Amino acid sequence: MSRILAIDYGQKRTGIAVTDELQIIASGLTTVSSDTLIPFLKDYFSKERVSKVLIGEPKQMNGEPSQSTDSIEAFVAQFSATFPEMKVIRVDERFTSKMAFQSMIDGGLKKKQRQNKALIDEIAATILLQDYLTRKMI
């Protein structure tokens, strides 16, 4: 089988998570600067088999698009043009950053470690991916 990759895109940083080859477990992969994301993905896709990519879709509480929607839509267009064969699935990313921060607290990370925004982005991508896997199994 192949992996599923999840992207929590941000204007500065992007969190990335990936499944194992059996698509059972979601794990944080890394956080990269958003301006180097496409080259990072080209390299990653050349080394690993990935069947689909989840990209977070930011929404407000009422379901309306959020302020960051335009930049994410621009990234999705660039991604689709660069990787036309890759299946893209958009997923609701509401609360993933808050859930990531809470999981850091629950995991016992110290305050200084919880201030690492790159780690929050990576965990948010992992939560996004794990949620997708869980819903897929139901």
Side-chain angles (χ1 to χ4, degrees), residues 100-114:
F101 188 75
Q102 186 61 48
S103 72
M104 293 169 79
I105 292 170
D106 294 345
L109 291 181
K110 295 185 179 355
K111 184 175 182 179
K112 183 138 177 101
Q113 294 169 306
R114 294 192 309 259

Side-chain angles (χ1 to χ4, degrees), residues 42-94:
K42 283 181 181 178
D43 181 59
Y44 188 80
F45 293 159
S46 73
K47 297 174 184 172
E48 298 289 342
R49 288 185 23 216
V50 176
S51 60
K52 61 184 93 164
V53 174
L54 310 179
I55 300 176
E57 189 169 36
K59 295 182 181 182
Q60 297 180 37
M61 289 295 293
N62 64 2
E64 295 292 317
S66 79
Q67 297 170 340
S68 58
T69 297
D70 290 342
S71 64
I72 294 175
E73 292 302 325
F75 167 72
V76 171
Q78 180 186 17
F79 179 91
S80 295
T82 306
F83 307 105
E85 72 290 345
M86 187 64 67
K87 182 176 181 177
V88 174
I89 299 172
R90 301 300 305 275
V91 292
D92 187 349
E93 67 174 32
R94 281 181 284 189

